Amino acid sequence: IMDDLDIEKPCIEALDEGYNTEWSTELTVDQAYQEYVKAWILLHFLKHWLLLSVCESSGFIFNMSVGYDLKGIKSGKIDNFIESLKNASGNDFFQNCLAELKKFINENQFSGFDPLLADTIDSRISNSITLSTMHGCPPEDQLEICRYLLEEKKLHTYLKLNPTLLGYDFVRCTYDKLGFTDIQLKQESFRKDLQYGDAILMLKELMKIAAEQELEFGVKLSNTLPVINSKKILPGEEMYLSGRALYPLTINLAARLADEFGGKLPISYCGGLNIFNVESIYSSGIRPLTMASELLKPGGYLRFNQIAEKLTQHLSQEYSEVNVDKLHDLADLVLQDPRNRREGKFSTNMKIDSQLPLFDCYLAPCVEACPIHQNIPEYIRLIREKRYHEALSLIYDRNPLPNITGEICDHDCMLKCVRNDYENPVRIRDLKLLAARTGRQDFTPNALPSLKPDINVAIIGAGPAGISAAVFLRRKGISVTVFEKNPSPGGIVKYCIPNFRISSDAIEQDVEYARSLGVKFNFNCDPEFSLKNLRHDGFKYIIITIGAWISPKLDLESGSDRLINALDFLREFNSKKGKLHLGTTVAVIGGGNSAMDSARAALRVDGVDKVYLLYRRTIKQMPADREELNAALKDGIIFKELRQPISWQNGILHCQQMKLGEPDDSGRQKPLPTQETDDLKIDSVITAIGDRTDYALLNRNGIIIPQNKAAETDHPWRSNLPDVYLGGDALHGPASVVRAIADAGQISSDILEKEGIAGSQDYVQQLKFDQHDRYNQIISRKGKVIPASSEYPHLSETTTESERCLDCSFICNKCVEVCPNRANFPVRIESEHFRDQFQIIHIDSLCNECGNCETFCPWNGAPYQDKITLFNSKNEFKSGQNNGFYLDVDDGNSQVHFRLGNRTGESDLAEISGKYSDMEWVKFAGLIRAVITDYGFLLYGR
């Protein structure tokens, strides 16, 4: 009845599971009918042209969709829609399309084509229908509608059911088990919807009616699930869930119904179908299968070929009914498969913190996320081509510690990897380690320049920041001496990261590289260094990279000597190889990486049977890297969340139970005490509540640490003293290894700039790749889901893992792939003015502003608003806001109407290039010319 709607935008968000807030269609009934007709005729044409099928029948099944009430379905408008699809022979639009097809075949003279093909196209487009009811439609209404469709319209009928049939308790429990605790349900939705018992009675009645009419009746599973719009990305208070989070519900509903009817109820499936479950669902006898949410993700449409290949082996199998046992096994498996869990996906923000540019927007998010901006796609390509020593050379260009970072880097690059949109990220860290280990034998460092006289640099601290700074400077001919309080280099990485997480070989190899360059080390130095003495010894520059070696004390009543801070414990664990005395039960207090390391190490101490990890917030709020947290869970660490230790007396750790309140300044919900307490019998307690640098030592040397540390200036590594620098933990507090390397690079560049020494030139500029067919290779990879190997790639051959890289710096096109209407289009331009081979243009007439391209664009931006837009009419151009153009053709004279920032006007195509001379305009004009001259079909819709 209401087929002309004004829908709030955006209306789709499919980053992980899918959400939408719109009605099922934005087309009027007449427009919808025309799309059915055009598709029917075009498919028959393509069937003959591309030899899609040799069967005598049409080879296609078209299914109508209607809803919601019987009065509307009986109205003249909908009745005409149904009857004209049952037989379109008397419909003027159908006949006009056939005539256009005849004309098209004649004018284009297709070889082997009979112009009379159009006369062979059956006018009977559809004899089946699906009733998609709104949430809350009473069962008696659904029964009467289906009865009418079967008895009066003589249509094979399927009824689309809602996942609310499973009941609130089942759905809530399932989502909690799978980690989807952020999905907020409304109990009211379950009370108002069709109830399971009523549904069974109705389905039995409808199956009886269908049998009497010699028609097929079945169910389509399932509709979307109404949830509270807690994300506030889409408008409104409610949104509808689909995609992978719907799969556990839909497959369980299918199993229940199959069991209820002994497999004799036909089931059509459309709940979270993807490459991982399609084979199992199909082999259970369920069909047809419908994929929707998965197509809204990068590579979605391209994956159809891979899915088809998977299903080919099952096509010869005939199923007269649903296999109940197979379906039950699948429903049971859904809770065990990690792919169905929220924790199985990276939930971090995939965006980079920069605005989407008008042109040249291709970039690799992994490179942008990496603190040292490592040229990741390039070294992965070298590994793929088995050029390991070249890959190592490229890595060394920005990372002097490939072995250490290959084992323990916190890999922010992987959190942004576009493969997260497919299955899981490329194992970038492990590929780096493979290059370091495999390329080591053939790697030859570049010849070092002669030492620069009178430029001596002292580095205090032989941890990651200190070693890295030494390498960067020594490669430019600067004499460097590293002073270290410990008897060997490596800092906290060597002494406090458990030796089961990082090998001694990794540290030794990276230190040896520094030594091979001529870096000098002085060990067992006085930790109370003196800047004055270092100046006296002739050091022009001083870099301070002391680690965060101080652990604060926990305010805990205790009379035991087994209250240990994490750093002391970890250092002793490494030095004594786990031969410690902790008793049988240990409690670790904290939620960061040090807490995870301490808990895992404690479990490896002789005699320890059980390790608890206590944290005053929830597991989800722990600051530890997810990888380290999951490793602790896998080891068997017992997590006690929402626990605040109060006292530890006579072996009893007394804890306050907490609850979460309103968010604090960090954005996390503040833990608040409850009246409940908890006691644990504990032999040893390890505190890991945050480490810090010895700022008092820095103050004694005249260095003032700003309150906000690195956030204070544009050059935070410069201290308040001339030519004295801070890096790594000394600058930030506890920081990652790669962050320390980044500091070292910035400090080194600053010193080199002061001395007038040219910085390093990226090794990638010297590389040569075979560019032939690179585009097609990338597209092929975009069309395949390839899960990462279960084992670390460095333990075996990694061709497959390196093949997973999508080469995003060369081509992105995510906004093209995820647009349901293909309103974003890549225009290929060969021009020195453009960095990227393809430029994205937005086609205004194809866009319904769903917002999906904004969801997946790696930039902070919305391609449908921020990209150069092709308008297909003068009115659209005038009413629009986007930068873009419209081609006005009148009596053979072409005028380009343009808008670029504050520049608007019109020009002949021949003159537009020279209208302005700035580079932005040159690119704008070049894109306009390319669209008009090489992509004329984009103008067809005007």
Side-chain angles (χ1 to χ4, degrees):
I1 296 173
M2 296 183 295
D3 64 345
D4 188 8
L5 305 173
D6 184 14
I7 297 167
E8 290 186 89
K9 306 294 181 174
C11 52
I12 293 176
E13 193 267 285
L15 184 62
D16 191 354
E17 66 270 15
Y19 295 100
N20 74 284
T21 60
E22 65 172 293
W23 293 53
S24 60
T25 179
E26 293 183 55
L27 303 177
T28 64
V29 172
D30 189 51
Q31 288 171 334
Y33 176 77
Q34 292 181 12
E35 292 302 313
Y36 271 89
V37 169
K38 287 186 286 187
W40 180 255
I41 293 174
L42 283 169
L43 282 172
H44 281 81
F45 170 76
L46 290 172
K47 171 188 172 180
H48 289 271
W49 185 29
L50 302 177
L51 303 177
L52 296 180
S53 172
V54 295
C55 64
E56 293 183 3
S57 65
S58 70
F60 307 107
I61 298 174
F62 273 41
N63 181 255
M64 302 179 235
S65 179
V66 294
Y68 134 86
D69 66 0
L70 186 57
K71 179 181 178 182
I73 292 171
K74 286 184 174 182
S75 68
K77 179 167 54 177
I78 300 300
D79 188 68
N80 181 64
F81 172 83
I82 293 173
E83 292 299 325
S84 293
L85 285 176
K86 286 170 64 178
N87 193 330
S89 60
N91 184 274
D92 290 342
F93 184 80
F94 178 77
Q95 295 300 334
N96 290 338
C97 286
L98 291 179
E100 186 173 344
L101 177 61
K102 288 181 183 179
K103 181 181 177 184
F104 178 76
I105 294 173
N106 280 323
E107 289 180 350
N108 290 278
Q109 297 180 336
F110 281 93
S111 176
F113 253 78
D114 186 347
L116 298 180
L117 166 67
D119 294 333
T120 68
I121 297 177
D122 197 336
S123 63
R124 294 168 297 178
I125 296 175
S126 178
N127 65 353
S128 68
I129 197 163
T130 298
L131 174 63
S132 181
T133 61
M134 294 289 291
H135 295 280
C137 182
E140 57 270 19
D141 287 12
Q142 298 182 43
L143 176 62
E144 289 308 309
I145 294 170
C146 291
R147 183 194 300 274
Y148 169 77
L149 296 174
L150 288 164
E151 293 180 341
E152 301 296 326
K153 291 300 171 182
K154 307 299 182 183
L155 291 168
H156 301 289
T157 301
Y158 273 60
L159 174 62
K160 196 171 186 180
L161 296 177
N162 302 332
T164 50
L165 280 173
L166 292 165
Y168 175 85
D169 291 340
F170 178 88
V171 174
R172 182 71 275 165
C173 181
T174 299
Y175 279 161
D176 288 345
K177 285 180 180 178
L178 293 174
F180 289 95
T181 54
D182 55 317
I183 294 176
Q184 298 181 24
L185 306 173
K186 294 195 303 183
Q187 293 197 39
E188 181 185 13
S189 300
F190 292 80
R191 288 196 300 268
K192 286 186 175 181
D193 262 9
L194 176 67
Q195 301 300 300
Y196 186 79
D198 294 334
I200 298 303
L201 293 175
M202 178 181 65
L203 296 178
K204 288 180 178 179
E205 176 66 18
L206 288 170
M207 289 182 73
K208 179 182 176 182
I209 294 171
E212 292 170 353
Q213 298 295 322
E214 297 183 344
L215 293 168
E216 183 172 295
F217 172 80
V219 294
K220 186 170 186 179
L221 304 180
S222 68
N223 216 330
T224 53
L225 177 70
V227 299
I228 295 172
N229 186 4
S230 57
K231 300 178 77 171
K232 299 302 180 185
I233 296 173
L234 305 179
E237 298 300 317
E238 187 176 61
M239 56 186 183
Y240 298 100
L241 179 149
S242 61
R244 79 180 190 97
L246 193 58
Y247 170 59
L249 305 185
T250 306
I251 206 66
N252 269 279
L253 181 56
R256 287 191 188 184
L257 292 175
D259 189 49
E260 197 80 45
F261 289 91
K264 299 187 185 305
L265 175 69
I267 298 176
S268 168
Y269 194 92
C270 61
L273 192 74
N274 60 39
I275 188 72
F276 300 111
N277 57 36
V278 62
E279 209 170 355
S280 299
I281 296 174
Y282 189 85
S283 63
S284 73
I286 289 179
R287 58 202 55 181
L289 307 180
T290 304
M291 180 181 289
S293 297
E294 193 71 5
L295 299 183
L296 296 172
K297 298 178 183 293
Y301 281 94
L302 296 171
R303 281 200 282 281
F304 267 151
N305 194 58
Q306 187 182 17
I307 291 172
E309 289 173 349
K310 266 185 171 290
L311 294 181
T312 298
Q313 58 185 312
H314 301 284
L315 293 181
S316 60
Q317 300 174 4
E318 293 291 337
Y319 294 98
S320 58
E321 55 188 47
V322 174
N323 188 313
V324 178
D325 291 335
K326 279 190 175 183
L327 202 49
H328 268 289
D329 290 343
L330 195 54
D332 292 339
L333 182 64
V334 76
L335 293 177
Q336 280 73 52
D337 190 341
R339 293 192 184 96
N340 300 322
R341 299 185 61 83
R342 171 72 86 206
E343 291 84 353
K345 300 282 287 183
F346 284 99
S347 57
T348 185
N349 180 7
M350 293 278 287
K351 298 281 188 181
I352 63 168
D353 191 21
S354 298
Q355 291 301 307
L356 174 63
L358 270 176
F359 309 101
D360 294 324
C361 59
Y362 291 174
L363 86 165
C366 58
V367 176
E368 296 298 315
C370 175
I372 59 176
H373 300 303
Q374 185 86 66
N375 294 304
I376 294 166
E378 286 79 10
Y379 79 65
I380 291 180
R381 283 192 77 198
L382 289 167
I383 291 172
R384 190 160 61 241
E385 296 175 8
K386 302 190 185 304
R387 297 158 66 180
Y388 297 109
H389 70 285
E390 289 183 83
L392 182 56
S393 295
L394 179 56
I395 293 168
Y396 269 137
D397 198 52
R398 298 192 177 191
N399 180 1
L401 309 175
N403 294 278
I404 291 174
T405 54
E407 292 196 9
I408 63 166
C409 183
D410 61 347
H411 56 60
D412 285 343
C413 54
M414 290 170 59
L415 301 182
K416 303 288 187 182
C417 177
V418 173
R419 270 287 173 187
N420 283 305
D421 295 323
Y422 289 70
E423 54 318 77
N424 39 35
V426 175
R427 291 186 180 272
I428 298 170
R429 181 176 66 188
D430 303 308
L431 288 172
K432 180 194 306 163
L433 186 59
L434 174 77
R437 291 182 174 180
T438 311
R440 183 187 302 165
Q441 183 174 353
D442 296 325
F443 170 74
T444 303
N446 292 332
L448 293 174
S450 57
L451 289 173
K452 307 291 189 295
D454 303 325
I455 308 178
N456 291 307
V457 177
I459 298 177
I460 302 171
I467 296 172
S468 299
V471 168
F472 287 136
L473 291 169
R474 184 62 192 88
R475 289 196 310 210
K476 287 297 178 177
I478 292 178
S479 177
V480 184
T481 303
V482 183
F483 298 88
E484 170 59 46
K485 67 177 182 179
N486 289 302
S488 58
I492 287 177
V493 169
K494 177 179 177 62
Y495 290 98
C496 294
I497 292 182
N499 49 31
F500 57 82
R501 274 191 61 207
I502 184 167
S503 65
S504 58
D505 177 70
I507 301 171
E508 290 168 5
Q509 288 296 329
D510 287 341
V511 171
E512 180 55 35
Y513 173 65
R515 283 198 175 105
S516 72
L517 299 175
V519 173
K520 293 174 284 189
F521 290 92
N522 283 348
F523 300 114
N524 298 309
C525 298
D526 184 356
E528 287 285 334
F529 65 85
S530 167
L531 295 181
K532 183 177 180 181
N533 291 341
L534 290 169
R535 293 289 195 203
H536 182 268
D537 292 339
F539 290 103
K540 185 174 182 180
Y541 298 98
I542 299 170
I543 304 173
I544 301 172
T545 61
I546 58 175
W549 291 92
I550 298 177
S551 292
K553 292 184 178 180
L554 177 67
D555 185 15
L556 180 69
E557 296 179 26
S558 172
S560 174
D561 60 355
R562 284 188 174 177
L563 179 62
I564 319 163
N565 75 62
L567 291 182
D568 289 344
F569 164 69
L570 290 170
R571 186 162 186 153
E572 194 174 6
F573 175 84
N574 274 353
S575 64
K576 294 184 178 180
K577 303 187 184 306
K579 304 295 182 182
L580 306 174
H581 299 288
L582 297 178
T584 60
T585 307
V586 178
V588 177
I589 301 170
N593 286 344
S594 291
M596 303 304 149
D597 283 345
S598 298
R600 298 180 67 201
L603 198 59
R604 288 165 169 79
V605 171
D606 292 346
V608 174
D609 293 328
K610 189 180 296 183
V611 175
Y612 294 99
L613 195 147
L614 287 77
Y615 187 58
R616 60 184 184 148
R617 289 185 166 97
T618 64
I619 290 178
K620 277 197 166 187
Q621 294 176 316
M622 287 182 176
D625 295 340
R626 293 297 96 178
E627 183 178 45
E628 304 309 322
L629 190 151
N630 289 334
L633 286 169
K634 186 176 181 180
D635 279 358
I637 305 302
I638 302 169
F639 280 68
K640 290 282 188 179
E641 59 184 2
L642 294 171
R643 297 292 193 280
Q644 177 70 55
I646 301 172
S647 64
W648 184 39
Q649 301 287 349
N650 301 318
I652 301 298
L653 186 62
H654 187 57
C655 302
Q656 182 90 51
Q657 292 193 22
M658 313 294 282
K659 65 179 181 179
L660 295 181
E662 295 299 315
D664 59 16
D665 293 340
S666 70
R668 296 181 297 173
Q669 288 177 277
K670 188 176 181 179
L672 301 173
T674 68
Q675 298 301 314
E676 299 180 34
T677 59
D678 192 12
D679 289 340
L680 296 171
K681 191 175 186 335
I682 300 295
D683 297 316
S684 297
V685 174
I686 300 170
T687 61
I689 56 173
D691 308 315
R692 62 180 177 85
T693 302
D694 189 353
Y695 294 118
L697 173 60
L698 299 180
N699 290 336
R700 288 195 292 273
N701 279 274
I703 298 173
I704 300 173
I705 303 298
Q707 188 174 5
N708 291 329
K709 299 186 182 72
E712 287 291 307
T713 67
D714 292 335
H715 302 84
W717 49 88
R718 294 178 183 172
S719 76
N720 58 297
L721 301 178
D723 299 331
V724 176
Y725 295 86
L726 300 174
D729 294 351
L731 176 62
H732 304 280
S736 66
V737 172
V738 72
R739 179 68 261 177
I741 297 172
D743 289 344
Q746 291 166 327
I747 292 168
S748 304
S749 296
D750 203 50
I751 292 173
L752 294 175
E753 185 177 351
K754 287 183 179 180
E755 294 296 335
I757 301 172
S760 63
Q761 185 177 13
D762 282 349
Y763 181 74
V764 69
Q765 296 179 9
Q766 307 168 32
L767 293 174
K768 293 184 179 180
F769 291 113
D770 180 7
Q771 300 293 342
H772 178 67
D773 208 26
R774 185 179 183 186
Y775 173 77
N776 289 334
Q777 291 175 13
I778 296 170
I779 294 300
S780 174
R781 292 199 291 276
K782 280 175 171 280
K784 290 181 181 177
V785 169
I786 312 173
S789 57
S790 58
E791 299 296 328
Y792 284 115
H794 67 263
L795 299 179
S796 60
E797 185 53 56
T798 59
T799 302
T800 300
E801 191 62 25
S802 59
E803 283 287 346
R804 298 179 66 238
C805 177
L806 297 173
D807 231 343
C808 302
S809 56
F810 180 74
I811 189 166
C812 174
N813 284 5
K814 288 177 77 176
C815 64
V816 177
E817 297 165 18
V818 304
C819 176
N821 301 340
R822 287 303 190 259
N824 301 314
F825 188 84
V827 174
R828 192 167 195 160
I829 303 179
E830 300 287 348
S831 170
E832 61 182 7
H833 301 305
F834 292 95
R835 184 201 68 195
D836 296 338
Q837 199 173 83
F838 294 89
Q839 300 296 317
I840 300 298
I841 190 165
H842 180 68
I843 305 170
D844 182 74
S845 62
L846 296 183
C847 180
N848 70 344
E849 300 180 351
C850 72
N852 204 42
C853 61
E854 180 177 6
T855 296
F856 286 101
C857 179
W859 301 84
N860 277 326
Y864 75 100
Q865 295 173 333
D866 299 336
K867 280 299 183 179
I868 298 297
T869 298
L870 167 63
F871 294 92
N872 291 102
S873 76
K874 190 178 294 185
N875 288 336
E876 289 175 355
F877 176 78
K878 288 181 177 180
S879 62
Q881 302 294 320
N882 291 8
N883 290 307
F885 66 98
Y886 161 67
L887 180 65
D888 188 5
V889 181
D890 186 18
D891 296 330
N893 296 319
S894 299
Q895 287 287 312
V896 178
H897 298 257
F898 61 82
R899 177 170 51 243
L900 184 65
N902 58 3
R903 292 178 284 197
T904 60
E906 58 186 70
S907 174
D908 289 338
L909 180 60
E911 299 173 352
I912 197 165
S913 295
K915 200 167 186 71
Y916 301 97
S917 59
D918 61 279
M919 184 51 64
E920 186 177 56
W921 180 267
V922 170
K923 291 182 177 182
F924 181 56
L927 181 57
I928 292 174
R929 293 186 65 86
V931 170
I932 293 174
T933 57
D934 300 332
Y935 294 87
F937 61 89
L938 296 178
L939 306 170
Y940 183 76
R942 69 179 182 81

